[in-house]
Amino acid sequence: MEAVVFIFSLIDGCALIFLSVYFIITLSDLECDYINARSCCSKLNKWVVPKLTGHTIVPILMLISLHWFIFLLNLPVATWNIYQFIMVPSGNMGVFDPTEIHNQGQLKTHMKEAMIKLGFHLLCFFMYLYSMILALINDLTWKEMLKLGVLHYSEQLRSQK
């Protein structure tokens, strides 16, 4: 069961890394004036809810499977995303609004946030990968490890005694 949780978290982490890179590319296109603010914001707002869902599922899974460290590590990011989604002003198009993205330095703030989230997702990806491998190894029995050649012959002799 533990391995399944980490496999799902690894897949979710890959999707969140992809979304972070997409957000960075789209925001940098806006910064360089390759696209206008309206199309940029509509592209990014389309992916806000899937990103929010992806961020929220992992902490819930880690809470259910009692992995407290990973839960506490993911909780602030999930809480921040929920806060951003809830606190969108009523007249705005979404989290990313074309009328406000160039005002008050929001473009640089969104770009900085996307970079920080990319680093966070990369850290989590390798943490999930390590935890998945550890869970898969712990699920194997001694006989399965011998068949796979994980244990050496001397360890096989010791286990027979």
Side-chain angles (χ1 to χ4, degrees):
M1 175 64 184
E2 186 177 3
V4 173
V5 168
F6 286 116
I7 289 170
F8 180 78
S9 298
L10 193 65
I11 293 168
D12 186 59
C14 288
L16 290 172
I17 288 171
F18 172 76
L19 279 176
S20 293
V21 169
Y22 177 74
F23 274 47
I24 291 169
I25 290 170
T26 307
L27 287 169
S28 66
D29 283 351
L30 176 64
E31 193 175 35
C32 295
D33 287 332
Y34 293 137
I35 58 175
N36 62 21
R38 185 163 183 79
S39 66
C40 173
C41 291
S42 67
K43 284 180 182 181
L44 294 178
N45 283 328
K46 188 179 0 177
W47 292 102
V48 167
V49 174
K51 186 173 98 171
L52 177 68
T53 306
H55 276 291
T56 309
I57 287 175
V58 172
I60 292 171
L61 277 176
M62 294 304 160
L63 179 64
I64 292 170
S65 62
L66 302 177
H67 294 283
W68 298 110
F69 176 73
I70 299 174
F71 167 72
L72 291 174
L73 185 70
N74 280 297
L75 188 63
V77 177
T79 307
W80 175 251
N81 283 333
I82 292 169
Y83 173 78
Q84 272 186 325
F85 186 72
I86 291 173
M87 298 308 289
V88 172
S90 61
N92 284 10
M93 188 175 162
V95 175
F96 299 94
D97 188 59
T99 57
E100 293 184 2
I101 198 154
H102 287 297
N103 298 339
Q104 305 162 357
Q106 278 192 359
L107 180 60
K108 293 234 183 262
T109 305
H110 287 307
M111 184 69 92
K112 217 181 291 182
E113 181 182 328
M115 292 285 202
I116 290 169
K117 284 183 182 177
L118 177 63
F120 174 77
H121 295 311
L122 286 171
L123 172 78
C124 287
F125 173 81
F126 288 110
M127 195 168 52
Y128 300 150
L129 182 65
Y130 175 77
S131 299
M132 180 196 70
I133 291 170
L134 197 63
L136 288 172
I137 288 174
N138 288 338
D139 286 348
L140 292 177
T141 63
W142 284 99
K143 288 182 181 179
E144 290 171 336
M145 282 194 224
L146 286 172
K147 287 179 186 175
L148 293 173
V150 174
L151 296 177
H152 297 288
Y153 182 71
S154 60
E155 291 173 342
Q156 182 181 5
L157 291 176
R158 266 190 258 141
S159 66
Q160 289 177 352
K161 291 180 183 180

